[in-house]
């Protein structure tokens, strides 16, 4: 028997790079999966790859009513809800491009980022947990980011939203753990998605210098971790934030940068 057989999952941002890979992985492990996204065409493409085990649903993470409708539609269509992978984020270059430092970020960009990346996660957890506790529990996996664990010179709103997601995860784990709901966060480092290749090839090139693995991360790496956290195999893990970044923060790169690296090998994208 597959480890997610009989379970029903929602993947938000399910039309995107990481979301569509995760939806496929969860379905391959036996789950029925809703691919939920503001980009309905992308969600439909991702759901079509899952055959009869997939359903595309439009929603806007900034609109509470549409989040409630997404959860209701899932339960109506597949009969229950066991897994929520909150994975949406504002990643469009126009908004990201204005998310700079404290003194120059437009207030509307700050508010929009927190609204989608944080309040959207809070609301989908709220609607999902109401169903999960009726059937004995479930597993929530919130996509945070390394940006939620450290500072940077840009993206103050994005990083703040991801930091808040990490602590909200601990609160949810604490408040609903005894009712069978586990809640964990994952914090990816640089992951090679189509969007990253298109909009930030420079980031990929820089990241290659800092990871300790022979390659950069892929959406499938995130999907594998999410599937484990969704499954009963991780039944004693809750309230955690797991980094998945090729060991990027486990070394200081100074000597390698000074060309004293013993092999000189670099990671490939
Ligand atoms: N790719 C990386 O290197 C990386 C690193 C750290 C964290 N992350 C996180 O991983 C998650 C997925 O990122 P990705 O790289 O696959 O990006 P992506 O842009 O491919 O996916 C994001 C998805 O969210 C959807 N979305 C955006 N706004 C929405 C809204 N208001 N309502 C509903 N859906 C909305 C988009 O349409 C898109 O399909 C994000 O939470 C991101 O912050 C990614």
């Amino acid at each position: 028997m597959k480890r997610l057989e009989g379970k029903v999952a929602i993947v938000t941002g399910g039309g995107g790079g990481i979301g569509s890979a995760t939806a496929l992985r969860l379905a391959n492990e036996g789950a029925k999966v809703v691919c939920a996204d503001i980009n309905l065409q992308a969600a439909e493409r991702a759901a079509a790859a899952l055959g009869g085990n997939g359903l595309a649903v439009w929603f806007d993470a900034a609109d509470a009513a549409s989040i409630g409708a997404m959860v209701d539609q899932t339960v109506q269509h597949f009969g229950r809800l066991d897994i929520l992978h909150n994975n949406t984020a504002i990643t469009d270059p126009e908004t990201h491009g204005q998310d700079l430092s404290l003194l120059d970020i437009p207030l509307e960009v700050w508010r929009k980022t927190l609204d989608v990346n944080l309040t959207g996660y809070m609301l989908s957890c709220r609607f999902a947990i109401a169903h999960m506790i009726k059937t004995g529990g479930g597993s929530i996996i919130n996509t945070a980011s390394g940006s939620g664990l450290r500072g940077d010179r840009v993206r103050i709103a994005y990083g703040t939203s991801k930091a808040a997601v990490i602590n909200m995860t601990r609160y949810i784990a604490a408040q609903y753990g005894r009712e069978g709901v586990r809640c964990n966060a994952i914090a990816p480092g640089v992951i090679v998605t189509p969007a990253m290749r298109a909009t930030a090839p420079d980031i990929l090139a820089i990241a290659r210098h800092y990871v300790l693995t022979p390659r950069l991360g892929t959406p499938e790496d995130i999907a594998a971790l999410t599937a484990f956290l969704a499954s009963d195999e991780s039944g004693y893990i809750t309230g955690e934030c797991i980094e998945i970044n090729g060991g990027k923060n486990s070394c200081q790169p100074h000597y390698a940068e000074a060309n004293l690296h013993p092999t000189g090998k670099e990671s490939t994208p």
Side-chain angles (χ1 to χ4, degrees):
M1 178 162 154
K2 294 179 177 177
R3 66 178 172 174
L4 299 181
E5 203 79 56
K7 296 193 189 283
V8 175
I10 295 176
V11 178
T12 75
I18 289 173
S20 56
T22 303
L24 185 60
R25 175 73 189 241
L26 298 181
N28 284 343
E29 297 224 19
K32 312 269 189 219
V33 184
V34 167
C35 301
D37 207 293
I38 199 166
N39 181 341
L40 184 59
Q41 274 191 333
E44 282 171 345
R45 269 196 304 274
L50 316 182
N53 292 326
L55 177 72
V57 171
W58 177 90
F59 89 112
D60 178 358
D63 173 36
S66 75
I67 299 173
M70 164 188 79
V71 171
D72 287 346
Q73 218 178 316
T74 302
V75 175
Q76 273 161 24
H77 191 83
F78 287 128
R80 55 186 294 126
L81 178 59
D82 307 281
I83 300 158
L84 170 66
H85 181 204
N86 264 324
N87 171 70
T88 330
I90 290 186
T91 55
D92 69 277
E94 202 196 324
T95 313
H96 251 346
Q98 297 179 76
D99 182 2
L100 297 169
S101 63
L102 178 70
L103 292 184
D104 51 35
I105 183 171
L107 189 52
E108 64 271 20
V109 170
W110 173 269
R111 286 194 168 129
K112 185 177 168 189
T113 304
L114 289 176
D115 216 20
V116 171
N117 294 11
L118 174 60
T119 310
Y121 280 31
M122 181 278 281
L123 286 168
S124 40
C125 287
R126 183 147 89 179
F127 287 116
I129 286 172
H131 284 285
M132 287 174 174
I133 58 182
K134 285 186 210 154
T135 52
S139 178
I140 296 173
I141 304 100
N142 291 323
T143 307
S145 166
S147 304
L149 292 160
R150 284 164 282 276
D152 211 329
R153 292 185 174 178
V154 294
R155 296 197 180 165
I156 187 168
Y158 178 82
T160 302
S161 72
K162 294 298 191 179
V165 161
I166 293 167
N167 216 37
M168 182 181 74
T169 296
R170 297 186 183 109
Y171 269 84
I172 291 170
Q175 293 178 351
Y176 299 99
R178 296 282 167 84
E179 296 183 76
V181 177
R182 293 185 298 112
C183 188
N184 291 291
I186 56 178
V190 170
I191 303 298
V192 187
T193 58
M196 281 291 269
R197 275 195 196 280
T199 60
D202 48 336
I203 299 285
L204 297 181
I206 294 165
R208 287 172 52 209
H209 292 293
Y210 294 105
V211 300
L212 308 183
T213 47
R215 61 169 178 83
L216 290 180
T218 64
E220 289 71 26
D221 290 316
I222 305 297
L225 177 60
T226 304
F228 168 67
L229 290 172
S231 77
D232 294 340
E233 287 187 286
S234 59
Y236 201 46
I237 303 176
T238 193
E240 294 294 338
C241 176
I242 301 176
E243 289 200 76
I244 175 162
N245 58 17
K248 183 175 82 59
N249 304 308
S250 303
C251 80
Q252 302 185 98
H254 315 130
Y255 290 102
E257 293 277 297
N259 286 327
L260 295 174
H261 191 282
T263 67
K265 279 189 184 162
E266 286 197 344
S267 301
T268 52

